[in-house]
């Protein structure tokens, strides 16, 4: 009985009612005079038909009235701004409630995903902050417990503590930048930009770090005319800095970082390639995730926060463009992204 439809309920009641009426007519006829079988054979279908139509409408109306309130609430939740509330049939209600249920399940899955992401993010941040804080505390305690008087370590330990502070600052700056990019607080200002001169400026500003690592930065086939693209100057500057700094950090002594431009119809493809340590294939799919590092120890030594590539990806995606990486361990890595021509 529990899965009865309005149709099923009306059918059952109609059968009962028409059987009862037919029986009643039969008994009355039997008692009053002789039974007219032609009349009896007509009473059943007529009463059945009439009661079926009547009950069907009544049951539908009854159910409709009962679930109207629930439906209205669900429907209101689903309505978009400015959308009018419309009349509905029972079949429509069923489809809409099923849709609503599906939507709710998807929303719950999305919220669960966000919750996991939040938990993982908070865990990562506290883990990343713990290392420099404990290091700083260690150096300061040693200094307080007598190290300050020891000329062999006092300046050295202060410098190390200062390095820890620098690490924390860059971590916090990167986190701040990522959260601003994600919340849309940093606006991407698209302007006509000569990408060739941006590359030249960024390369020049990193010349000192490159020298320290004995790596040369080469702009291959440096164009002697402007290459106009549509991009956010500050964002693209940051992308190039992050990619070139990585090529120096994970490069080899006497290595080189090659920057190339390719004309691709509507786009310009920018490549930053190094002949450094390279990246194992299993790391490539996760490389642009926050805090992802292929070698945690080495990356920390080089002052990496694990956020550089994730910032790069955010900026490129805000330009509606893509970034890719190809790499071979021991041979080198190539990062490439596109920008729309202006
Ligand atoms: P980090 O601050 O650790 O450098 P990134 O997000 O910039 O963080 O990079 C994530 C990881 O990707 C790095 O820790 C490193 O393992 C790897 N990686 C990035 N660029 C290169 C590269 N040019 N060569 C080799 N490995 C790289």
């Amino acid at each position: 009985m529990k899965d009865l439809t309005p149709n099923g309920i009306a059918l059952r009641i109609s059968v009962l009612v028409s059987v009862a009426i037919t029986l009643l007519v039969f008994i009355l006829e039997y008692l009053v005079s002789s039974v007219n079988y032609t009349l009896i054979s007509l009473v059943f279908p007529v009463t059945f038909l009439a009661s079926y139509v009547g009950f069907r409408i009544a049951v539908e109306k009854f159910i409709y009235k009962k679930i109207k309130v629930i439906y209205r609430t669900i429907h209101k939740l689903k309505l978009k701004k400015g959308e009018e509330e419309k009349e509905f049939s029972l079949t429509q209600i069923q489809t809409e409630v099923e849709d609503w249920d599906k939507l709710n399940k998807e929303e719950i899955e999305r919220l669960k995903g966000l919750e996991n992401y939040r938990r993982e993010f908070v865990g990562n941040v506290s883990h990343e902050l713990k290392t420099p804080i404990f290091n700083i505390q260690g150096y300061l305690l040693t200094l307080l417990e007598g190290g300050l008087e020891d000329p062999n370590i006092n300046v050295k330990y202060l410098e190390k503590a200062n390095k820890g502070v620098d690490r924390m600052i860059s971590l916090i700056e990167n986190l701040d930048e990522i959260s601003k990019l994600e919340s849309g607080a940093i606006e991407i200002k698209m302007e006509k930009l000569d990408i060739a001169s941006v590359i030249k400026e960024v390369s020049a500003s990193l010349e000192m770090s490159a020298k320290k690592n004995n790596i040369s930065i080469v702009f291959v086939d440096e164009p002697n005319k402007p290459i106009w693209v549509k991009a956010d100057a500050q964002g693209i500057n940051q992308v190039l800095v992050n990619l070139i700094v990585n090529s120096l950090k994970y490069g080899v002594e006497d290595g080189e970082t090659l920057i190339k431009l390719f004309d691709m119809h509507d786009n310009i493809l920018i490549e930053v390639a190094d002949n450094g340590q390279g990246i194992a294939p299993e790391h490539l799919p996760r490389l642009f995730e926050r805090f992802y590092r292929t070698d945690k120890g080495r990356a920390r030594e080089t002052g990496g926060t694990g956020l550089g590539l994730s910032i790069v990806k955010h900026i490129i995606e805000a330009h509606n463009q893509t970034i890719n990486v190809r790499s071979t361990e021991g041979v080198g890595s190539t990062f490439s992204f596109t920008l729309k021509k202006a």
Side-chain angles (χ1 to χ4, degrees), residues 112-122 182 290:
K112 272 189 196 159
L114 278 179
E115 175 57 19
N116 278 345
Y117 162 74
R118 192 196 59 80
R119 208 176 299 135
E120 203 180 289
F121 189 70
V122 172
E182 284 187 350
R290 288 178 199 81

Side-chain angles (χ1 to χ4, degrees), residues 45-328:
V46 171
T47 48
F48 174 75
L49 217 71
S51 52
Y52 173 71
V53 173
F55 282 120
R56 176 77 210 251
I57 294 170
V59 168
E60 278 222 2
K61 268 207 167 144
F62 177 74
I63 297 177
Y64 190 76
K65 212 168 114 189
K66 289 280 170 205
I67 62 171
K68 200 170 174 175
V69 185
I70 307 171
Y71 174 72
R72 278 240 155 92
T73 319
I74 292 172
H75 199 244
K76 257 195 198 117
L77 290 174
K78 280 183 63 191
L79 276 184
K80 290 185 193 103
K81 244 189 170 172
E83 216 177 312
E84 288 275 308
E85 201 179 313
K86 52 181 190 290
E87 274 306 304
F88 37 84
S89 70
L90 279 179
T91 336
Q92 242 176 322
I93 293 178
Q94 189 172 350
T95 332
E96 290 216 17
V97 170
E98 277 166 9
D99 284 356
W100 180 73
D101 180 47
K102 197 169 153 242
L103 216 82
N104 272 359
K105 278 189 188 132
E106 282 168 7
E107 181 63 8
I108 290 168
E109 283 309 308
R110 195 184 68 83
L111 290 175
K112 272 189 196 159
L114 278 179
E115 175 57 19
N116 278 345
Y117 162 74
R118 192 196 59 80
R119 208 176 299 135
E120 203 180 289
F121 189 70
V122 172
N124 277 332
V125 171
S126 48
H127 178 79
E128 293 298 327
L129 285 172
K130 233 165 30 192
T131 320
I133 286 179
F134 286 159
N135 279 344
I136 295 166
Q137 190 186 37
Y139 292 126
L140 292 181
L141 278 177
T142 317
L143 288 170
L144 284 173
E145 283 161 5
L148 209 55
E149 319 301 332
D150 184 347
N152 286 324
I153 61 161
N154 54 11
V155 176
K156 202 163 103 193
Y157 276 25
L158 275 176
E159 278 168 357
K160 288 196 176 207
N162 193 39
K163 218 172 150 193
V165 174
D166 282 345
R167 217 183 116 59
M168 281 179 62
I169 291 174
S170 60
L171 186 67
I172 286 161
E173 278 173 354
N174 278 182
L175 279 170
D176 187 44
E177 184 150 3
I178 265 208
S179 70
K180 278 185 186 151
L181 277 166
E182 284 187 350
S183 65
I186 293 186
E187 225 180 274
I188 295 287
K189 263 193 263 135
M190 295 296 241
E191 53 184 312
K192 194 174 161 185
L193 202 74
D194 172 17
I195 188 70
S197 50
V198 178
I199 292 173
K200 282 179 224 166
E201 276 162 31
V202 173
S203 308
S205 72
L206 293 171
E207 204 51 58
M208 288 290 281
S209 320
K211 271 215 178 93
K212 251 197 257 165
N213 296 286
N214 253 343
I215 293 177
S216 45
I217 304 174
V218 183
F219 190 176
V220 181
D221 296 331
E222 190 178 312
N224 44 20
K225 60 176 177 39
I227 307 288
W228 298 111
V229 291
K230 242 182 159 176
D232 175 73
Q234 217 180 326
I236 294 307
N237 204 76
Q238 176 85 70
V239 166
L240 286 167
V241 168
N242 288 9
L243 293 180
I244 299 173
V245 165
N246 275 356
S247 77
L248 305 178
K249 277 198 299 197
Y250 308 107
V252 280
E253 279 275 313
D254 301 321
E256 54 181 12
T257 296
L258 304 180
I259 305 163
K260 294 179 196 165
L261 291 183
F262 297 92
D263 192 319
M264 314 259 295
H265 305 292
D266 294 342
N267 295 327
I268 296 287
L269 180 90
I270 299 114
E271 252 189 28
V272 177
D274 63 62
N275 57 349
Q277 65 186 55
I279 304 156
E282 68 267 23
H283 296 301
L284 293 177
R286 300 194 58 194
L287 208 65
F288 293 94
E289 284 177 22
R290 288 178 199 81
F291 300 112
Y292 191 81
R293 300 185 182 100
T294 57
D295 175 353
K296 301 217 184 293
R298 166 112 205 253
R300 282 220 182 84
E301 257 172 50
T302 55
T305 60
L307 292 169
L309 286 181
S310 150
I311 291 174
V312 164
K313 189 166 185 256
H314 270 297
I315 297 174
I316 297 298
E317 282 179 354
H319 283 74
N320 287 326
Q321 299 291 322
T322 47
I323 174 141
N324 289 299
V325 55
R326 339 186 269 280
S327 187
T328 310

